[in-house]
Amino acid sequence: MSSTIWSVDDHLEDILASVRPLDPIELQLPDAQGCVLVDDVTVPVALPPFDNSSMDGYAVRVADLAEAGEDTPVVLAVIGDIAAGSESLPTVGPGQAARIMTGAPLPPGAQAVVPVEWTDGGTGGGAAASMLPAGQAPEGAAGEVRVYRPVEEHAHVRARGSDVQAGDLALAAGTVLGPPQIGLLAAIGRGTVRVRPRPRVVVLSTGSELAQPGEELTTGRIYDSNSFALAAAAQDAGAIAYRVGAVTDDPELLRAAIEDQLLRADLLVTTGGVSVGAYDVVKEALAPAGDDEDVPGGGVDFRRLAMQPGKPQGFGSIGPERTPLLALPGNPVSSYVSFELFVRPAIRTLMGLDDVHRPTVRALLDAEAPLGSPDGKRQFLRGRYDAEAGRVAPVGGAGSHLVAALAHADCLIVVPEKTTSLEPGAAVDVVLLG
């Protein structure tokens, strides 16, 4: 382990300088969700591509209904039906109407659509509640419809290009593709799209004391929470996460386990075994990793950081493809805070995003007494943020094992290196985790 004390900022800068965005690939739309768009996408055809009805009703000429009223309905001759997808359209002339369904193209001659509720629906009775099924013509319909209200031009018509025009920018490069963006791409006819793939992140916890949830605990053992929390955090960051069950404190077994995972990893994350104890297996297994340490990012460097929690950290690369590896401490809070500060930005960089950091806001400290912080270390306290009040309250203590407090926190309160005490009401930086 290096004798140099690294700052949080310098460690993060070193990581991000060594991590490169993944190469773009062309993916089918269902496979592109969560990926980052590489190129601007423009609209090839207007959307919608034709004037169409936004209601079930009747396509009409405006002048025919100028005198329509509740007591003086206008009677129009119904010349046919127009369903969504219709290609052969009748021409609506004076005194005529065509039954039209939602999404169907507006026929020639028609200027507006009258909702069926404004008519008798062709039944010869009062106002209709819905359109009759195609082919039904009750006695008295006689191919006519009574309309009880006038209508304005283009009423209930979705105009061609009212959503987007041909040549418009549909989505900008750098957009993360979620369900609405996938829907838009499909709507403009794109079956595939060029993206940076979601990074594959392998999370591996170490420690002979770790048992898997569901197993019976024996003396001296605890459940492995880190691999579950960090795999979930990696997926939340946009990655495809693979969780590997805990590896015992055997350097050769750990090295073999990591090498087995290289085929499916764009980034490796280990937790535990990076401190100065006699059984710190990650440091023992990876410090002599065999990579060319003269190459930037080659080998794994174990460091001490001026932060709390999360002082011991490791970073470098391993394997023939120089896969980035971040070695995090084993205490649950330390590992999660370290993930948020260092691993999440690395994942977002692999995705090709410009903004890789969690949002930070200023808030007033809501505490009953001053909060102490070690001199020379940047401290990260768990907190609950009240956006409306602009205040933040600490949750739990400073211990790096307090998982329950972490589960109730939605932010990190940042205490600068030279600040040893924070008074209630002090303005602080808050990293939002939600």
Side-chain angles (χ1 to χ4, degrees):
M1 180 176 286
S2 171
S3 60
T4 303
I5 303 295
W6 287 67
S7 71
V8 172
D9 295 335
D10 286 346
H11 182 61
L12 177 59
E13 182 180 349
D14 190 42
I15 292 169
L16 297 185
S18 303
V19 175
R20 297 286 180 267
L22 299 177
D23 292 336
I25 58 175
E26 191 83 13
L27 289 180
Q28 298 285 333
L29 290 189
D31 300 322
Q33 184 172 351
C35 297
V36 176
L37 193 62
V38 172
D39 307 307
D40 290 345
V41 175
T42 55
V43 179
V45 294
L47 192 65
F50 49 82
D51 292 351
N52 69 89
S53 177
S54 65
M55 306 284 287
D56 292 334
Y58 292 84
V60 298
R61 297 164 62 93
V62 172
D64 288 338
L65 301 180
E67 303 301 325
E70 294 292 337
D71 299 323
T72 57
V74 171
V75 180
L76 301 175
V78 179
I79 61 172
D81 277 7
I82 306 172
S86 294
E87 296 183 5
S88 179
L89 305 177
T91 299
V92 177
Q96 296 179 334
R99 290 208 321 169
I100 191 167
M101 313 308 151
T102 302
L106 193 70
Q111 300 165 310
V113 172
V114 175
V116 67
E117 294 87 355
W118 295 9
T119 77
D120 68 351
T123 65
S130 62
M131 189 74 76
L132 291 173
Q136 288 192 12
E139 186 177 352
E144 294 179 343
V145 64
R146 287 174 173 79
V147 184
Y148 298 101
R149 299 189 198 180
V151 69
E152 296 181 356
E153 190 169 358
H154 302 306
H156 309 113
V157 174
R158 296 183 288 221
R160 179 182 184 275
S162 57
D163 192 351
V164 287
Q165 296 280 355
D168 284 352
L169 177 66
L171 295 171
T175 299
V176 179
L177 300 180
Q181 292 76 32
I182 296 290
L184 174 57
L185 290 168
I188 62 174
R190 290 291 294 265
T192 65
V193 66
R194 191 164 172 261
V195 296
R196 295 192 191 277
R198 295 170 62 196
R200 300 164 301 163
V201 176
V202 173
V203 177
L204 189 151
S205 56
T206 65
S208 298
E209 78 281 11
L210 298 178
Q212 295 305 297
E215 297 177 357
E216 183 178 354
L217 283 183
T218 55
T219 302
R221 304 195 76 195
I222 61 173
Y223 286 123
D224 169 23
S225 64
N226 285 353
S227 66
F228 288 90
L230 300 190
Q235 189 161 318
D236 181 69
I240 298 171
Y242 300 104
R243 189 192 70 85
V244 179
V247 178
T248 58
D249 290 324
D250 183 313
E252 292 304 319
L253 287 178
L254 175 61
R255 179 75 181 184
I258 289 176
E259 289 177 348
D260 285 344
Q261 297 299 320
L262 288 175
L263 285 176
R264 65 171 181 173
D266 298 306
L267 176 67
L268 281 159
V269 179
T270 67
T271 172
V274 295
S275 190
V276 293
Y279 294 93
D280 287 321
V281 63
V282 174
K283 188 171 60 174
E284 187 176 349
L286 297 183
D291 293 318
D292 183 0
E293 299 192 7
D294 293 331
V295 178
V300 179
D301 183 25
F302 292 90
R303 303 166 174 176
R304 292 177 295 169
L305 269 61
M307 66 179 284
Q308 186 186 62
K311 177 181 177 181
Q313 300 283 337
F315 168 65
S317 69
I318 187 169
E321 301 298 324
R322 302 214 176 277
T323 303
L325 184 145
L326 281 88
L328 310 183
N331 281 319
V333 176
S334 299
S335 69
Y336 182 72
V337 170
S338 300
F339 182 98
E340 286 292 339
L341 296 179
F342 308 124
V343 183
R344 193 176 196 276
I347 290 173
R348 308 288 280 180
T349 299
L350 287 168
M351 294 174 68
L353 291 167
D354 292 328
D355 186 4
V356 301
H357 302 288
R358 290 282 199 186
T360 299
V361 298
R362 293 284 282 179
L364 300 181
L365 181 64
D366 191 0
E368 296 180 356
L371 300 180
S373 184
D375 186 26
K377 291 184 178 181
R378 187 179 303 181
Q379 189 176 41
F380 296 89
L381 301 172
R382 280 78 75 201
R384 293 284 297 177
Y385 174 61
D386 184 339
E388 186 174 345
R391 304 184 72 86
V392 64
V395 176
S400 57
H401 64 291
L402 301 176
V403 183
L406 180 62
H408 293 91
D410 61 10
C411 66
L412 297 176
I413 303 169
V414 184
V415 185
E417 287 85 344
K418 295 183 179 180
T419 300
T420 57
S421 179
L422 277 179
E423 297 293 326
V428 293
D429 283 336
V430 176
V431 180
L432 303 180
L433 301 179

